[in-house]
Amino acid sequence: MDDYYSAEEEDCYYSSDQESLDGIDNEESDLQPVSSKRSNTQVITQESLLAAQREDLLRVMDLLSIKEHHARTLLIHYQWDVEKLFAVFVEKGKDSLFSGAGVTVFDCQYDNSSFPHSSQMSCDVCIEDVPGDQMTRMDCGHCYCNDCWTEHFTVQINEGQSKRIRCMAHQCNAICDEDIVRNLVSKRRPDLAEKFDRFLLESYIEDNKMVKWCPSTPHCGNAIRAEDDKLCEVECSCGLQFCFSCLCQAHSPCSCLMWELWRKKCRDESETINWITVHTKLCPKCYKPVEKNGGCNLVRCICGQCFCWLCGGATGSDHTYRSIAGHSCGRYQDDKEKQMERAKRDLDRYTHYHHRYKAHTDSSKLEDKLRDTILEKVTKSEKRELKLKDFSWVTNGVDRLFRSRRVLSYSYAFAYYMFGEELFKDEMTPEEREIKKNLFEDQQQQLESNVEKLSQFLEEPFDEFSDDKVMAIRIQIINLSVAVDTLCKKMYECIENDLLGSLQLGIHNIAPYRSKGIEQATEFYASWNSSGADKVQPFDSGTSGN
C-alpha cells in the first residue's frame, strides 16, 4: 500500500475490512473540511421570496416597534443586513438610525381623516385649492394633493427609484409610505403599481449582499442566501454549482481573480497571440503576418513585397552581407532575440499548465459517463449471490473521484498565477517562489497519482469478479478514496496557510474544501405562517429597481 501515499502517512490506510468501512462511511468524523468556516445556504424560490423578505421585516418591526414600510426603508438602506442594522441601533441609538436612512416617525401620527371633504386646502406644488379628502400627508408632515403625489410617484417609478421614493418637499429626505404610493398609483396606473411592488420584492435580492440570483442559463428563477459566509461554493436546487462570490462556476482552489484571468486567457488565447506577434511581422503591402525562417533580415512576403525584419519598413531586393542597399534602421536584433526567447518561455509555461488543466477537465467529462456504467455494474452485482450485499463503497468512490478531478483541474490554473510574475511578482523572492512551487507540486503529484489509481480500480469489471476479488478491490477503492480526500485537505491547507496566507495582498481567498462536495443549498422554510407567501406572481429576475 505504500505506493498510494507517502511512507509517514501510511496510517490512514485500513488493514481490515471493517476498518475500511468506518473510514469511508463515517465522513462526519473522519472527513471533515479542512477549514473551520461553514456556510448555511438556502434556496429562495419565487414562491418563497416574499416569505424570506417578510421574515427579516418582522424581526426589525418587532425590535423597533415600527411599521412595515419603515422597516423596509431601514433594511434597504443597510442592504438587508439585519445584524448591521441592530449594531447601529445599539451603538448610535434610534434617532441616528432613522435619520441616516430617511425614516421619519412621529410619536403622534398625522391622520388624513382630519381633512373633511367640505374643506378646501391649497396644494403648495400646483397652487390649486382642492377638497380635503384629496390631500395626503406623509409621516414627515408634508401635505400635497393626490394628483401631485401621483405624478411624483409615477416619475420616480419610471426612473427606477421606486425602492426609496423621497418626499417632494425641498430638502426633505423622508421616504414616502409605500402603502400610500401603491394606493395612489394603482388608481391611475395599475401596471406601475405592479412594477412598484415587484421592485420592492426584488430589493431583497438586488440590494442584499447575502442573497444572489442563481446564475443558471436559462434562469431557474431561484436565489441563494448564504447566512454565515459569502466565501463559499453552493449548489442550487436546479443542479448548478457556482461560486457565491463571483457567480462563476465553482473554481476553488482558484481565487475569483485568478479564475477570471484564467478564463480570459483561455478564451482569448492571449499567449498564442503573443507568440504570433513576436515571431511574425506584418507585410507593409498586404498586411499578412510573415515569419522569418532564415538568418537574413531581408524577408519577402508571398505577395512579392520585400521588407526589413528589424523595422518592418518596405525595401528593395538588393542587399549585401552586412546591410540592405540604401536602408539602415539601427541594431535591434539582440533585443528582439531576448524578446522572442521570453515569449517562447511564457508560451511553454502556459501550455504546460493549460494542457494538464484541460486533461483533467476532459477526464472528468468522460468519467461522468462512467457513473452510468458503474451503476449498471452495481445492479448486476446486487443480483448475484455474493457475500457482499452493500456496494455503497463504489458510489462513494465515484463521488470522490469527481470531486478530486475538479480540484486537480483548477489547481493547475491556480499554480499558473501563484508561481508566475503576473500577480505576485513583488510578494516573493525567486528563491521563495521556487521553494513554495516545489512544495505545492509535490502535493499535487501525490494527489494526481492516487486519483489515477482510483479511476483505474473503478473501471475494473467487479461485477464479474468472485467474492474474494470483490472484497479485495473494495478495500483498494475505500483506501484510495480516503487517501484522495486527505491529500485534497492537505493541498487546501498548503494553499490557505503556506501560499496565500503568507501574502500581504489579502484579496486571493478561496472557498473551503468540503469532503462531501459542494454544499447543496436547502429549501428556505419560513419560521412564520404567511397567507400571502403563496400569492407571489412570477417576475423577471433581470429587472432592477435601483
Side-chain angles (χ1 to χ4, degrees):
M1 289 291 182
D2 57 346
D3 58 338
Y4 292 137
Y5 214 45
S6 59
E8 61 270 23
E9 290 163 340
E10 285 185 11
D11 56 352
C12 74
Y13 289 94
Y14 304 95
S15 57
S16 73
D17 189 56
Q18 183 57 45
E19 285 176 343
S20 61
L21 264 178
D22 295 339
I24 191 67
D25 294 338
N26 190 16
E27 289 192 336
E28 289 296 333
S29 59
D30 294 336
L31 302 181
Q32 285 294 331
V34 66
S35 175
S36 61
K37 296 178 285 187
R38 294 182 176 273
S39 175
N40 181 21
T41 56
Q42 295 176 312
V43 175
I44 300 175
T45 62
Q46 294 183 16
E47 292 74 20
S48 63
L49 177 56
L50 180 61
Q53 186 187 64
R54 181 73 176 170
E55 190 173 69
D56 285 349
L57 286 170
L58 285 175
R59 289 179 63 191
V60 176
M61 291 165 63
D62 291 343
L63 177 73
L64 303 178
S65 299
I66 55 178
K67 295 181 178 180
E68 180 176 331
H69 74 278
H70 289 141
R72 194 190 312 274
T73 298
L74 288 171
L75 284 167
I76 291 176
H77 179 75
Y78 289 101
Q79 298 183 307
W80 292 89
D81 190 336
V82 180
E83 302 306 323
K84 181 179 179 181
L85 189 154
F86 288 172
V88 173
F89 170 66
V90 172
E91 182 180 347
K92 298 184 179 180
K94 197 170 185 178
D95 292 341
S96 179
L97 176 73
F98 285 2
S99 62
V103 174
T104 304
V105 180
F106 291 98
D107 293 334
C108 180
Q109 294 290 329
Y110 291 101
D111 187 2
N112 287 335
S113 63
S114 60
F115 303 142
H117 175 75
S118 57
S119 65
Q120 292 288 316
M121 301 184 66
S122 177
C123 174
D124 293 338
V125 174
C126 62
I127 319 298
E128 294 286 342
D129 291 333
V130 296
D133 61 348
Q134 295 182 22
M135 298 287 290
T136 298
R137 191 191 304 274
M138 293 294 167
D139 290 338
C140 56
H142 294 113
C143 181
Y144 304 105
C145 71
N146 291 345
D147 287 341
C148 289
W149 280 122
T150 303
E151 288 297 326
H152 173 65
F153 297 152
T154 300
V155 171
Q156 294 296 305
I157 294 173
N158 283 328
E159 291 181 353
Q161 303 299 321
S162 56
K163 291 181 290 188
R164 289 176 58 84
I165 299 180
R166 299 188 182 276
C167 173
M168 286 191 292
H170 180 60
Q171 294 184 341
C172 180
N173 293 322
I175 305 300
C176 296
D177 187 332
E178 62 191 49
D179 288 332
I180 296 177
V181 175
R182 185 181 299 107
N183 292 335
L184 291 180
V185 173
S186 61
K187 294 176 181 178
R188 186 180 300 179
R189 293 284 304 275
D191 59 320
L192 276 187
E194 292 180 5
K195 187 177 182 181
F196 172 73
D197 282 334
R198 187 171 71 249
F199 283 165
L200 290 181
L201 190 62
E202 290 180 354
S203 168
Y204 185 73
I205 298 175
E206 303 291 349
D207 302 321
N208 195 336
K209 291 183 178 180
M210 294 186 294
V211 181
K212 294 184 179 180
W213 292 112
C214 171
S216 55
T217 305
H219 188 237
C220 64
N222 295 337
I224 305 294
R225 180 164 72 181
E227 295 287 353
D228 304 319
D229 190 358
K230 291 181 288 185
L231 186 64
C232 64
E233 292 175 337
V234 62
E235 180 178 344
C236 178
S237 58
C238 71
L240 181 68
Q241 297 179 342
F242 64 95
C243 170
F244 189 80
S245 179
C246 67
L247 298 182
C248 291
Q249 70 184 71
H251 53 69
S252 69
C254 277
S255 68
C256 293
L257 178 56
M258 288 178 178
W259 181 243
E260 180 184 354
L261 294 172
W262 181 256
R263 287 175 62 212
K264 185 177 186 302
K265 182 175 287 293
C266 295
R267 182 174 62 248
D268 298 343
E269 297 181 348
S270 55
E271 290 297 332
T272 303
I273 294 173
N274 181 39
W275 171 252
I276 293 175
T277 301
V278 172
H279 281 75
T280 64
K281 290 278 190 181
L282 294 181
C283 171
K285 180 180 180 181
C286 68
Y287 299 105
K288 292 180 179 179
V290 179
E291 180 183 9
K292 184 165 79 79
N293 55 9
C296 181
N297 286 321
L298 177 66
V299 295
R300 182 190 298 272
C301 178
I302 57 174
C303 71
Q305 176 65 52
C306 295
F307 64 93
C308 174
W309 178 258
L310 300 180
C311 68
T315 68
S317 59
D318 295 334
H319 67 288
T320 65
Y321 175 75
R322 294 184 178 275
S323 64
I324 301 171
H327 180 76
S328 176
C329 60
R331 299 179 180 179
Y332 288 70
Q333 193 167 1
D334 289 343
D335 292 339
K336 179 62 68 177
E337 288 177 354
K338 291 179 181 179
Q339 186 179 358
M340 291 171 64
E341 290 174 2
R342 173 62 183 272
K344 185 178 186 305
R345 186 171 65 252
D346 290 345
L347 179 61
D348 288 343
R349 182 173 180 273
Y350 168 70
T351 303
H352 169 86
Y353 287 105
H354 184 268
H355 173 73
R356 284 153 181 80
Y357 158 79
K358 191 72 166 54
H360 285 293
T361 302
D362 292 342
S363 294
S364 182
K365 292 177 181 178
L366 292 173
E367 285 164 349
D368 197 30
K369 301 176 182 178
L370 180 65
R371 185 186 294 275
D372 294 334
T373 304
I374 288 178
L375 290 177
E376 291 178 5
K377 294 179 184 178
V378 169
T379 302
K380 291 180 182 179
S381 299
E382 289 174 341
K383 293 179 179 178
R384 296 172 63 199
E385 295 182 358
L386 298 173
K387 294 180 181 178
L388 186 64
K389 301 300 181 183
D390 181 15
F391 288 86
S392 60
W393 51 273
V394 180
T395 53
N396 287 336
V398 173
D399 291 339
R400 181 74 65 216
L401 178 65
F402 290 161
R403 297 169 201 163
S404 55
R405 279 287 187 203
R406 187 187 66 83
V407 169
L408 261 180
S409 178
Y410 298 142
S411 72
Y412 282 101
F414 167 83
Y416 178 81
Y417 289 105
M418 184 72 230
F419 307 115
E421 297 183 353
E422 185 169 351
L423 295 179
F424 307 116
K425 182 178 181 180
D426 300 327
E427 293 270 2
M428 297 178 285
T429 64
E431 293 78 14
E432 290 174 337
R433 181 179 289 108
E434 189 65 23
I435 292 173
K436 292 181 177 182
K437 179 172 173 288
N438 290 333
L439 171 66
F440 179 77
E441 288 179 347
D442 286 345
Q443 295 186 349
Q444 195 179 42
Q445 288 174 9
Q446 286 188 49
L447 176 59
E448 197 164 37
S449 175
N450 283 270
V451 165
E452 296 301 338
K453 289 172 183 173
L454 177 59
S455 177
Q456 178 183 352
F457 278 111
L458 285 169
E459 291 178 358
E460 292 284 344
F462 58 85
D463 57 321
E464 302 173 3
F465 290 169
S466 63
D467 275 325
D468 292 341
K469 201 168 182 180
V470 169
M471 295 298 288
I473 196 173
R474 174 177 177 272
I475 296 295
Q476 299 276 20
I477 290 176
I478 289 175
N479 282 337
L480 281 167
S481 298
V482 174
V484 164
D485 178 68
T486 304
L487 286 166
C488 284
K489 289 180 183 178
K490 287 186 173 293
M491 177 182 287
Y492 272 71
E493 284 179 348
C494 175
I495 292 172
E496 291 181 330
N497 301 327
D498 300 327
L499 301 181
L500 296 179
S502 63
L503 301 176
Q504 296 180 359
L505 193 63
I507 62 173
H508 295 276
N509 298 313
I510 62 172
Y513 173 70
R514 295 182 180 276
S515 289
K516 293 188 176 182
I518 294 176
E519 180 182 10
Q520 184 169 358
T522 58
E523 284 287 336
F524 170 79
Y525 176 75
S527 59
W528 57 281
N529 186 15
S530 172
S531 59
D534 297 327
K535 299 179 181 179
V536 182
Q537 296 297 320
F539 51 85
D540 181 5
S541 63
T543 58
S544 176
N546 296 328

